[in-house]
């Protein structure tokens, strides 16, 4: 891929996300997401390997289905209300379909199966792009319609994401798959609190992006893709290995690291909303 085409691709990804975030119309938001999806496909398929081609196909099919669901949901809502406005999503069926399509877009449980596979088939830099930048647009849309989504749906998907993210990462030796399950887990926290305090959900996802970015960049710098690689880098670059270890502990929400702060605030909010059982489950 030439530098000029790469510039166009990255510009399209940026414009797509900004378009979705700043639009008040479902059609414009959908166009932004489509532009975003089509622009990232050449980046995923850049390594000329079978795994990269497979990852590109999986990513494209999943995102295309999610986009179709999104369009179906907004169209049904327009039939009912005669309005394309994002904040006017009043139909319950439309809201449920929209919530599911956005969860599929960002890779939250129970529609998370594509994320670990896609990350495993791409480079570390592309994996970073998928786990951080590609989540911004769907999370923003979910934030905008959070008042209309039934809390039961969000909480159920959130708890499921936490459980699957936590258990799925245990038996992994591949760092990219571990980071994928970490992403699913963090999305679980974000989706759960989205029903009660959307601003706190945004803070949680922003903290996650800030913590994940250096992890991927350091892994790419050291060319570490498995836990075995990471254990041997101790002798050559001790500072980076230690930094990755501390950042991973922070991502998992261990006190006294930064990642613990949003989780503590989320638990506090759940308890103050009389959802003690939910807070216990989250822990």
């Amino acid at each position: 891929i030439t530098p000029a085409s790469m510039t166009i691709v990255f510009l399209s990804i940026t414009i797509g996300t900004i378009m979705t975030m700043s639009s008040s119309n479902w059609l414009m938001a959908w166009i932004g997401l489509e532009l975003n999806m089509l622009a990232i496909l050449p980046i995923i398929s850049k390594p000329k390997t079978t795994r990269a081609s497979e990852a590109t196909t999986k990513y494209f099919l999943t995102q295309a289905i999610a986009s179709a669901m999104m369009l179906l949901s907004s169209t049904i809502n327009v039939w009912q209300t005669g309005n394309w406005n994002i904040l006017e999503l009043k139909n319950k069926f439309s809201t449920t379909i929209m919530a599911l399509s956005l969860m599929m877009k960002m890779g939250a449980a129970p529609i998370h199966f594509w994320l670990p596979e896609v990350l495993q088939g791409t480079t570390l830099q592309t994996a970073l792009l998928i786990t951080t930048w590609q989540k911004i647009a769907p999370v923003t849309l979910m934030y905008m319609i959070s008042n209309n989504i039934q809390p039961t749906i969000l909480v159920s998907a959130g708890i499921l994401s936490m459980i699957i993210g936590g258990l799925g990462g245990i038996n992994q030796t591949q760092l990219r798959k571990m980071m994928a399950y970490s992403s699913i887990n963090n999305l679980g926290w974000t989706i759960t609190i989205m029903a009660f305090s959307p601003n706190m959900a945004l803070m949680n996802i922003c903290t996650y992006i800030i913590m994940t970015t250096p992890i991927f960049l350091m892994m790419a710098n050291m060319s570490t893709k498995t836990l075995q690689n990471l254990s041997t880098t101790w002798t050559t670059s001790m500072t980076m290995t230690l930094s990755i270890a501390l950042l991973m502990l922070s991502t998992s929400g261990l006190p006294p690291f930064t990642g613990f702060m949003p989780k503590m605030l989320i638990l506090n909010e759940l308890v103050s909303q009389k959802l003690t059982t939910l807070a216990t489950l989250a822990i």
Side-chain angles (χ1 to χ4, degrees):
I1 300 175
T2 60
S5 57
M6 281 306 279
T7 308
I8 293 166
V9 162
F10 279 109
L11 202 62
S12 300
I13 290 172
T14 313
I15 291 168
T17 302
I18 292 167
M19 193 190 287
T20 304
M21 288 172 72
S22 58
S23 63
S24 59
N25 184 299
W26 276 121
L27 216 52
M28 288 305 290
W30 176 76
I31 290 166
L33 284 169
E34 284 298 290
L35 181 65
N36 196 311
M37 176 192 78
L38 292 169
I40 202 172
L41 293 177
I43 300 174
I44 302 173
S45 61
K46 196 184 173 188
K48 296 290 175 273
T49 59
T50 317
R51 294 212 68 169
S53 306
E54 189 185 325
T56 312
T57 311
K58 281 179 181 172
Y59 186 82
F60 171 72
L61 290 173
T62 315
Q63 298 295 316
I65 293 164
S67 292
M69 284 168 68
M70 189 178 164
L71 206 55
L72 170 73
S73 165
S74 50
T75 309
I76 291 169
N77 189 61
V78 171
W79 282 342
Q80 294 278 322
T81 62
N83 199 333
W84 279 103
N85 195 317
I86 288 176
L87 302 174
E88 294 294 320
L89 194 71
K90 302 294 183 193
N91 185 293
K92 273 191 177 182
F93 178 72
S94 295
T95 315
T96 309
I97 297 286
M98 186 61 74
L100 286 171
S101 72
L102 291 174
M103 284 172 202
M104 199 172 186
K105 280 260 177 211
M106 60 178 97
I111 326 165
H112 66 282
F113 301 102
W114 62 273
L115 189 64
E117 298 301 318
V118 169
L119 289 202
Q120 190 55 36
T122 60
T123 61
L124 286 162
Q125 289 88 341
T126 312
L128 166 65
L129 200 62
I130 293 168
T131 49
T132 55
W133 185 261
Q134 292 299 92
K135 284 190 175 35
I136 296 171
V139 167
T140 309
L141 283 175
M142 192 172 267
Y143 173 82
M144 289 163 97
I145 63 164
S146 56
N147 290 335
N148 300 329
I149 307 173
Q150 289 170 291
T152 320
I153 296 166
L154 288 175
V155 169
S156 306
I159 295 289
L160 197 61
S161 294
M162 284 183 208
I163 294 165
I164 289 170
L167 295 177
I170 291 172
N171 204 26
Q172 299 298 332
T173 54
Q174 297 289 334
L175 289 173
R176 279 167 296 183
K177 277 198 175 178
M178 276 178 69
M179 293 308 292
Y181 282 108
S182 163
S183 168
I184 293 163
N185 181 273
N186 271 278
L187 275 174
W189 286 89
T190 306
I191 292 168
T192 304
I193 199 62
M194 188 74 82
F196 310 104
S197 173
N199 290 336
M200 206 173 281
L202 280 193
M203 185 196 68
N204 184 57
I205 200 77
C206 288
T207 312
Y208 167 73
I209 288 170
I210 291 164
M211 289 186 302
T212 305
T213 306
I215 294 177
F216 272 111
L217 291 175
M218 282 191 281
M219 287 197 308
N221 189 26
M222 295 193 296
S223 300
T224 50
K225 290 174 183 175
T226 61
L227 278 174
Q228 197 174 1
N229 290 152
L230 200 60
S231 60
T232 54
T233 52
W234 182 260
T235 48
T236 51
S237 48
M238 184 178 168
T239 317
M240 268 197 187
T241 314
L242 190 64
S243 301
I244 287 177
L246 292 175
L247 277 164
M248 279 185 166
L249 289 173
S250 180
T251 316
S252 62
L254 198 76
F257 300 108
T258 315
F260 174 64
M261 180 193 64
K263 288 186 171 60
M264 184 185 70
L265 291 171
I266 287 169
L267 288 172
N268 181 49
E269 182 66 27
L270 290 173
V271 171
S272 65
Q273 293 270 7
K274 306 283 189 291
L275 295 160
T276 320
T277 317
L278 202 59
T280 316
L281 263 172
I283 294 165

